[in-house]
């Protein structure tokens, strides 16, 4: 239907579309508090459900990666779409039927989240394969779609079904699986070891000379660039831009199409036990776990953060107002996560072209998380929650927008999905620890207002109005005076779990995550320093080998000349 070049970009657009429907795990904070309230769950139980979603997203990732690395992308995407539809429909059934079982809701949260993983990881792998010379930018497209999902669904739900959680939870499975199946026909791997039929299989001489010069410069500059040349035939986008001043755009595009040999024996391929024995993997594992854990704790719990701050300052909050403000915070996190992912992918590619490491993007992301944790500790009004939401979103976007290209560069593209799946297991550990800590801390500072709170007073035997035959203005006022001047003054008509301490409801959770984000910052600097030293050492070894080769050639030439003179 399309030539290969057009098909690549059509596939990239479909990657974004499918990923947009596969990021619904992050939408939980938009309906999680209402789900917990209807089913009578505590903040800890709600955190358990959210964490089980993380288990579905990340713990199943290695198994999903094996399928994705061995099968065409339409197979895992189909599996993912079906699991998303089934999982969320069963969660909605639990909500409408008031099935008060954490196990039931949690199991189907795992099913839906695992479906997200199958579809999303297939799109990331497809983008990485189709654009080997622009992996950072290409993989940031589906990664950004995944991060934008929360904004997309929360805004649609808030606009179409304001305050109606039941209808929102019906829209979620239908729309998300619909987006996945809509992009399914276009997501496919485009083999780039052959030129498209409409193009001529000839590389201009001046392009070849540019490639040769680029190889020499990259070999002496850094080992990371040497890794890139193995997947891109020793030429990067930067050299293409330099060559365009000497050749036409059409000639440059010809060279651009024949850059990837999927069966190249020199391609980096570290996986399995070799991956687990590599200390670099465990350093990346720790950084990824700490950053994603800090990010997910806030993403999955910001509904409770907002409730604590908003109700503390606004006594008579309505459920619709609370839901609207939750949607605003979810939208802020999602939109800035989207921006961070796009910027991170592009900047990672630009850094490599100029001889720097992609890990500098991760370093900036850790600083964003440090600022977000400081905001969580110090902000006491819901009006300023935007600060924490924005920096949390930017840090989370930087993390996921660049780590896909980092993993493919360091450990190879052949087993990328499998390796990336092992990396994302760290998210389960980080999110489990931090989310459980948040839930336990919030519960420890909370108490419950039962639905029949007013009925607990002996003089109240019917509707609280003057038409009730049991209504007695004097005695009723006396019995309710203390209650309305304490709890209900602060929380209006709320029932269920309530915390009246503002930021102190959860402050200790951010006291835990702040030093963890600082540790991630330090580890990223140490890893950058290690790679710089390694690059310098390899460059010196390669220069020595080049000098030795030149000396040997010179000696052989001298011997030949001497032999020739002696013969004469």
């Amino acid at each position: 239907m399309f030539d290969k070049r057009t098909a690549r970009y059509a596939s990239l657009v479909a990657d974004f579309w499918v990923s947009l429907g596969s990021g619904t795990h992050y939408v939980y904070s938009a309906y999680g508090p209402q789900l917990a309230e209807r089913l009578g769950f505590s903040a800890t139980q709600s955190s358990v459900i959210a964490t089980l979603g993380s288990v579905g997203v990340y713990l199943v990732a290695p198994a999903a990666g094996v399928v994705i690395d061995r099968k065409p992308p339409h197979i895992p995407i189909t599996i993912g779409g079906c699991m998303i539809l089934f999982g969320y429909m069963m969660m909605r059934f639990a909500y409408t039927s008031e099935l008060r079982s954490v196990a039931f809701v949690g199991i189907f949260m795992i099913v839906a989240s695992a479906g997200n993983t199958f579809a999303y990881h297939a799109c990331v792998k497809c983008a990485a394969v189709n654009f080997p010379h622009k992996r950072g930018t290409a993989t940031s497209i589906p990664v950004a779609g995944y991060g934008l999902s929360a904004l997309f669904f929360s805004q649609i739900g808030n606009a179409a079904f304001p305050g109606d959680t039941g209808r929102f939870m019906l829209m979620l499975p239908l729309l998300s699986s619909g987006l996945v199946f809509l992009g399914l026909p276009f997501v496919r791997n485009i083999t780039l070891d052959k030129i498209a039929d409409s193009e001529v299989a000839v590389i201009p001489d001046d392009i070849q000379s540019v490639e040769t010069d680029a190889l020499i410069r990259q070999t002496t500059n850094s080992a990371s660039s040497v890794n890139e040349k193995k997947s891109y035939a020793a030429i990067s986008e930067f050299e293409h831009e330099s060559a365009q001043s000497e050749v036409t755009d059409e000639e440059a595009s010809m060279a651009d199409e024949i850059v990837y040999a999927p069966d190249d024996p020199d391609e980096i391929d570290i996986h399995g036990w070799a991956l687990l024995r590599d200390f670099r993997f465990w350093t990346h594992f720790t950084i990824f776990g700490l950053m994603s854990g800090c990010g997910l704790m806030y993403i999955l719990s910001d509904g409770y953060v907002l409730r604590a701050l908003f109700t503390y300052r606004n006594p008579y909050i309505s459920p619709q107002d609370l839901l609207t403000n939750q949607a605003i915070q979810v939208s802020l996190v999602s939109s800035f996560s989207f921006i961070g992912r796009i910027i991170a992918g592009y900047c990672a590619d630009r850094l490599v072209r100029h001889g720097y490491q992609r890990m500098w993007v991760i370093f900036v992301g850790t600083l964003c998380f440090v600022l977000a944790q400081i905001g969580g500790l110090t902000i006491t009004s819901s009006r300023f929650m935007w600060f924490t939401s924005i920096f949390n979103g930017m840090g989370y976007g930087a993390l996921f927008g660049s780590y896909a290209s980092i993993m493919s560069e360091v450990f190879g593209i052949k087993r990328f999905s499998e390796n990336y799946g092992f990396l994302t297991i760290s998210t389960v550990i980080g999110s489990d620890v931090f989310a459980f800590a948040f839930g336990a801390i919030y519960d420890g500072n909370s108490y419950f207002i039962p639905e029949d709170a007013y009925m607990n007073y002996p003089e109240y035997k019917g509707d609280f109005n003057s038409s009730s035959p049991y209504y007695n203005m004097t005695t009723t006022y006396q019995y309710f005076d203390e209650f309305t001047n304490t709890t209900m003054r602060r929380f209006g008509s709320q029932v269920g779990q309530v915390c009246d301490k503002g930021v102190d409801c959860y402050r200790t959770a951010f006291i835990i995550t702040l030093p963890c984000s600082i540790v991630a910052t330090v580890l990223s600097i140490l890893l950058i320093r290690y790679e710089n030293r390694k690059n310098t050492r390899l460059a010196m070894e390669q220069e020595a080998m080049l000098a030795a080769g030149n000396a040997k050639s010179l000696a052989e030439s001298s011997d030949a000349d001497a032999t020739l003179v002696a013969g004469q």
Side-chain angles (χ1 to χ4, degrees), residues 188-448:
R188 57 194 182 98
N189 296 331
I190 312 298
T191 305
L192 298 182
D193 56 336
K194 296 180 181 180
I195 296 183
D197 296 336
S198 60
E199 296 173 338
V200 181
V202 176
I203 303 178
D205 293 338
D206 42 4
I207 286 287
Q208 292 177 342
S209 65
V210 171
E211 291 179 358
T212 304
D213 294 340
L215 173 58
I216 294 173
R217 291 198 301 274
Q218 290 179 338
T219 301
T220 57
N221 283 341
S222 69
S224 62
S225 297
V226 173
N227 291 340
E228 284 231 337
K229 75 178 179 61
K230 293 180 179 179
S231 63
Y232 184 45
I235 182 169
S236 69
E237 177 77 8
F238 179 70
E239 280 71 32
H240 273 286
E241 292 174 356
S242 300
Q244 286 176 354
S245 61
E246 302 177 11
V247 297
T248 66
D249 293 338
E250 183 178 358
E251 290 171 336
S253 65
M254 292 178 190
D256 185 59
E257 292 294 333
I258 52 173
V259 295
Y260 180 56
D263 298 321
D264 183 1
D266 294 328
E267 175 78 18
I268 297 173
D269 185 16
I270 301 174
H271 66 280
W273 287 112
L275 179 76
L276 300 180
R277 289 194 299 266
D278 194 323
F279 85 95
R280 295 176 301 170
F281 169 76
W282 292 109
T283 307
H284 287 299
F285 187 91
T286 303
I287 294 171
F288 198 90
L290 291 174
M291 293 178 67
S292 59
C294 292
L296 275 174
M297 185 196 78
Y298 181 78
I299 290 172
L300 299 177
S301 304
D302 65 352
Y304 286 97
V305 173
L306 178 69
R307 176 170 291 198
L309 297 180
F310 200 93
T311 54
Y312 189 72
R313 300 284 183 178
N314 302 271
Y316 296 98
I317 182 174
S318 69
Q320 184 172 342
D321 287 342
L322 185 60
L323 195 63
T324 299
N325 280 274
Q326 283 177 218
I328 291 173
Q329 297 306 318
V330 171
S331 299
L332 279 175
V333 174
S334 183
S335 58
F336 279 91
S337 176
F338 169 78
I339 293 171
R341 291 169 193 237
I342 292 292
I343 293 175
Y346 175 77
C347 289
D349 283 344
R350 298 299 299 181
L351 286 171
V352 168
R353 292 167 199 157
H354 290 84
Y356 298 97
Q357 297 181 45
R358 298 179 191 271
M359 279 300 298
W360 282 110
V361 177
I362 299 300
F363 170 73
V364 174
T366 61
L367 294 182
C368 289
F369 275 120
V370 170
L371 292 175
Q373 310 319 304
I374 293 173
L377 278 171
T378 58
I379 290 174
T380 59
S381 171
S382 60
R383 291 180 300 172
F384 300 103
M385 265 189 71
W386 59 264
F387 180 89
T388 306
S389 297
I390 287 175
F391 279 103
N392 192 85
M394 288 293 292
Y396 206 70
L399 175 70
F400 282 91
S402 55
Y403 244 114
S405 57
I406 289 173
M407 289 296 289
S408 65
E409 179 183 82
V410 177
F411 303 108
I413 190 65
K414 291 182 180 178
R415 303 293 183 93
F416 163 73
S417 295
E418 181 182 332
N419 292 344
Y420 191 61
F422 279 116
L423 177 73
T424 56
I425 289 177
S426 62
T427 301
V428 178
I429 300 173
S431 62
D432 276 0
V433 173
F434 297 142
F436 281 137
F438 183 95
I441 292 165
Y442 194 93
D443 283 345
N445 291 294
S446 304
Y447 53 90
F448 278 87

Side-chain angles (χ1 to χ4, degrees), residues 218-220 222-223 226 537-547:
Q218 290 179 338
T219 301
T220 57
S222 69
V226 173
R537 185 178 67 255
L538 289 177
M540 292 176 63
E541 291 175 357
Q542 290 162 358
E543 288 178 356
M545 291 174 61
L546 183 60

Side-chain angles (χ1 to χ4, degrees), residues 507-524:
R507 189 195 298 270
T508 307
F510 287 97
I511 293 176
I512 296 172
T513 56
L514 177 58
C516 290
S517 60
I518 294 173
V519 169
T521 304
V522 173
L523 287 177
S524 65

